[in-house]
Amino acid sequence: MTTVGKVIKCKAAVAWEANKPLVIEEIEVDVPHANEIRMKIIATGLCHTDLYHLFEGKHKDGFPVVLGHEGAGIVESVGPGVTEFQPGDKVIPLFVSQCGECRFCQSPKTNQCLEGCIYKATMSSLETRFTCRGQKVLQFTGTSTFSQYTVVNQIAVAKIDPSAPLDTVCLLGCGVCTGFGAAVNTAKVEPGSTCAVFGLGAVGLAAVMGCHSAGAKRIIAVDLNPDKFEKAKVFGATDFVNPNDHSEPISQVLSKMTNGGVDFSLECVGNVGVMRNALESCVQGWGVSVVVGWTDLHDVATRPIQLIGGRTWKGSYFGGFKGKHDVPQMVKAYLDKKVKLDEFITHRMPLESVNDAIDLMKNGKCIRTILSLE
């Protein structure tokens, strides 16, 4: 029986309040309104930003909410005004919209969009198509992929190759593009250069892969968990440093290893102290350090001489990728075996096990867990 034009009842993992386990609920998903797409989510990754909102974020009014923003699915129906998509299309919802009309979308200098969540007061869209138990449930970053069905504005959807495996390319909805693009698009890593990547979660490993793809000759992987070093080697890391093994600051360790500092460093943790360490690990004169890890809880600081001396400090949002245009190209790169994705996946679970997946990530026991919603 067709669902087009009807409210859909389906399963979703609802976060009713901060710091509490998610609850598998039956929710109602409204029909798509003008310029919106309703899609069936096939699979989704669990990203640290989901945990950040649940456990650390300052937006305590952003509940109840359906989390998830790293998914892939199939278009079920479209609202009035949608011409780019049709039922049956394979798609990846995007937490970084691309309206194509604002000054940011018109500029090749950025991938940001004035319609994106980075410009809003909360990461949960206040306009939602979800209800549960008669109550409005917010949509995280306007996507909410921890639901079997979701509704997304067409400016935040990428149509992808119909042959792509959705339970793998979902990773391109956030983590892999974020890290890979930070190295390739934002840092602009050069062939023959020396790089350091701080933090070896999915984003950090993708940054390692990006450095390797750009031709770096030396890639130093930095993490407090040495169990991740073997995985980093798979993506191209050449050297491995655990700061706990050294009595001096990590910036000094890396400076001694590299005759004055690395050419490029990428902070993929979301810790302001690590951001400073990453900057100060760069070589004076031309070193470039990119802030990739997400946080807005604390100020970040360094001594002015670090910048006056010629280092550059930059930030990267979704790896600099313009989602609607570039995510399909990343899918193609995966299909052409130019980008690794399967190697990020350490666990696969049903949606009902979402809290187990959260525990794995909190305890550093996974790289990426894929949740199946079928």
Side-chain angles (χ1 to χ4, degrees):
M1 184 173 63
T2 181
T3 53
V4 175
K6 301 177 181 178
V7 172
I8 291 177
K9 293 184 177 181
C10 67
K11 286 189 301 185
V14 178
W16 288 102
E17 56 184 307
N19 300 303
K20 298 291 186 180
L22 307 190
V23 181
I24 303 299
E25 301 274 12
E26 182 181 78
I27 70 168
E28 295 81 42
V29 181
D30 198 4
V31 298
H33 293 201
N35 302 312
E36 292 180 343
I37 294 164
R38 187 163 64 182
M39 65 183 74
K40 179 181 181 180
I41 298 296
I42 301 300
T44 181
L46 172 68
C47 174
H48 191 271
T49 306
D50 300 311
L51 273 64
Y52 177 85
H53 185 86
L54 185 62
F55 297 113
E56 303 175 41
K58 63 184 180 181
H59 303 301
K60 300 306 180 186
D61 57 343
F63 296 88
V65 63
V66 173
L67 297 172
H69 62 286
E70 193 178 74
I74 300 171
V75 174
E76 176 269 342
S77 60
V78 301
V82 176
T83 58
E84 182 183 350
F85 303 89
Q86 59 185 8
D89 285 344
K90 284 189 175 182
V91 290
I92 291 178
L94 304 167
F95 71 94
V96 182
S97 56
Q98 188 181 349
C99 74
E101 298 177 357
C102 70
R103 64 178 297 198
F104 291 91
C105 285
Q106 293 287 325
S107 171
K109 297 178 181 179
T110 182
N111 67 330
Q112 294 180 32
C113 172
L114 284 174
E115 297 300 318
C117 70
I118 199 170
Y119 293 99
K120 303 189 187 308
T122 174
M123 291 186 72
S124 299
S125 175
L126 298 179
E127 185 175 6
T128 178
R129 304 292 172 243
F130 293 167
T131 56
C132 182
R133 304 185 193 175
Q135 183 176 351
K136 180 172 73 172
V137 177
L138 302 178
Q139 290 186 242
F140 185 61
T141 69
T143 56
S144 289
T145 57
F146 290 177
S147 173
Q148 290 179 313
Y149 286 86
T150 190
V151 177
V152 182
N153 193 294
Q154 65 175 341
I155 67 173
V157 180
K159 185 191 300 186
I160 62 172
D161 192 305
S163 69
L166 296 177
D167 61 354
T168 301
V169 298
C170 59
L171 295 181
L172 294 171
C174 183
V176 174
C177 281
T178 295
F180 187 87
V184 174
N185 299 329
T186 309
K188 294 183 174 12
V189 170
E190 299 167 352
S193 61
T194 297
C195 304
V197 176
F198 290 74
L200 300 177
V203 173
L205 292 172
V208 169
M209 180 170 65
C211 292
H212 182 263
S213 177
K217 71 175 181 182
R218 192 176 184 190
I219 304 169
I220 305 170
V222 182
D223 201 286
L224 298 175
N225 183 355
D227 292 341
K228 294 184 177 181
F229 292 159
E230 281 301 313
K231 178 67 78 170
K233 189 181 297 183
V234 171
F235 292 99
T238 60
D239 299 76
F240 310 92
V241 177
N242 181 348
N244 287 338
D245 293 340
H246 303 271
S247 58
E248 57 188 347
I250 186 63
S251 59
Q252 294 181 22
V253 173
L254 295 185
S255 180
K256 291 178 179 178
M257 289 176 62
T258 57
N259 189 30
V262 300
D263 300 303
F264 301 94
S265 68
L266 298 104
E267 188 279 344
C268 302
V269 180
N271 179 291
V272 295
V274 179
M275 293 172 190
R276 178 172 184 167
N277 288 334
L279 173 72
E280 296 176 2
S281 297
C282 285
V283 65
Q284 183 171 313
W286 64 80
V288 174
S289 186
V290 180
V291 175
V292 189
W294 178 274
T295 185
D296 62 352
L297 296 179
H298 307 286
D299 293 338
V300 65
T302 192
R303 296 289 177 87
I305 190 62
Q306 298 291 341
L307 302 175
I308 293 170
R311 297 175 180 87
T312 299
W313 215 355
K314 306 175 75 173
S316 186
Y317 185 53
F318 193 48
F321 284 115
K322 288 183 181 285
K324 289 177 74 70
H325 290 162
D326 295 332
V327 167
Q329 295 305 309
M330 285 293 284
V331 171
K332 184 178 186 303
Y334 166 70
L335 295 174
D336 291 342
K337 302 188 184 306
K338 295 178 180 178
V339 169
K340 298 180 187 293
L341 289 181
D342 301 81
E343 292 81 356
F344 288 93
I345 302 169
T346 53
H347 299 77
R348 292 185 180 275
M349 298 179 175
L351 178 65
E352 289 81 358
S353 299
V354 62
N355 291 307
D356 295 330
I358 289 173
D359 288 340
L360 285 172
M361 178 164 278
K362 284 177 63 178
N363 294 308
K365 300 297 184 182
C366 69
I367 300 300
R368 267 298 187 265
T369 298
I370 302 296
L371 299 170
S372 172
L373 285 87
E374 288 192 289

